[in-house]
Amino acid sequence: KAEFKISDQKQYSAAAALAKRNPDKAIQLLKEGNERFVSGHSIHPNADASRLSQAGVENQGDYAYACVLSCSDSRVPVEILFDAGVIDIFVVRVAGNVCKVDEVGSIECGLAHVHTPVLVVLGHTKCGAVVAVTQALQGKGHPLERNIPPLVAPIQPAVKRAMEEHPDVHGDAIVPYAIEQNVW
């Protein structure tokens, strides 16, 4: 499978147009953008004033090549992590990347109306929502604000599944397994 080998804006634009129509290419573009970010070779595509102006008049459905459900944690800035730009990725962000009506409806919008060919559920290390639920289920939690318990309630089955699958892992060591289960 050929890689894009993107090193400038023009190459990125051509690859993004192809990715818009092809799920495999969209995933490849995301992976290569992440590789550029990790290696320190980001090109920061579509992040200038002209792209912002374009976003104000164009239909995002003609451009966005991925829908990403991500945690709202400031350590996971989606467009930066995937070295993407304005109107390239339809992003849904919520603490713990949990899905209830609002998030599912937003994802449906990204897939059905913006016509993104892929959906990515992005988990991340040290997710505070997963850590809080894990600690609460282990009896080590602390009082949470009124709206946080119902927000993070959908994470409980993932943490419980991680604990069942890894009975020999305890304390904060279970958190990475719980984060992975929460993505699934």
Side-chain angles (χ1 to χ4, degrees):
K1 138 166 111 169
E3 294 186 10
F4 292 126
K5 301 295 184 199
I6 296 164
S7 60
D8 64 30
Q9 177 66 43
K10 187 175 179 182
Q11 291 171 332
Y12 178 85
S13 294
L18 181 59
K20 176 66 182 171
R21 300 183 308 272
N22 184 312
D24 293 329
K25 297 295 182 191
I27 292 168
Q28 184 180 344
L29 188 59
L30 292 168
K31 286 180 178 179
E32 290 184 10
N34 184 250
E35 288 172 10
R36 287 192 306 276
F37 167 75
V38 169
S39 69
H41 294 99
S42 295
I43 61 171
H44 310 289
N46 298 331
D48 58 6
S50 67
R51 185 62 168 201
L52 286 172
S53 294
Q54 182 182 9
V57 296
E58 297 278 345
N59 180 345
Q60 68 178 324
D62 294 334
Y63 298 93
Y65 57 83
C67 179
V68 177
L69 170 64
S70 175
C71 184
S72 55
D73 192 307
S74 61
R75 294 173 287 191
V76 286
V78 176
E79 290 86 354
I80 294 172
L81 295 176
F82 291 116
D83 194 24
V86 176
I87 64 174
D88 288 334
I89 301 177
F90 186 90
V91 182
V92 179
R93 293 181 75 162
V94 61
N97 52 284
V98 297
C99 280
K100 291 186 180 177
V101 173
D102 294 347
E103 295 79 24
V104 173
S106 295
I107 291 167
E108 288 173 347
C109 181
L111 298 174
H113 298 284
V114 180
H115 306 290
T116 58
V118 297
L119 168 63
V120 174
V121 179
L122 182 65
H124 70 96
T125 56
K126 298 186 179 188
C127 177
V130 176
V131 169
V133 171
T134 301
Q135 290 175 347
L137 289 175
Q138 294 176 348
K140 300 175 186 169
H142 56 81
L144 300 174
E145 292 75 14
R146 173 181 4 179
N147 293 299
I148 293 180
L151 171 68
V152 299
I155 299 172
Q156 290 180 3
V159 174
K160 289 177 181 178
R161 197 172 313 114
M163 291 173 161
E164 290 168 7
E165 290 181 5
H166 303 279
D168 54 327
V169 180
H170 305 285
D172 288 343
I174 196 69
V175 171
Y177 300 105
I179 289 169
E180 184 174 347
Q181 284 297 326
N182 190 49
V183 167
W184 290 110

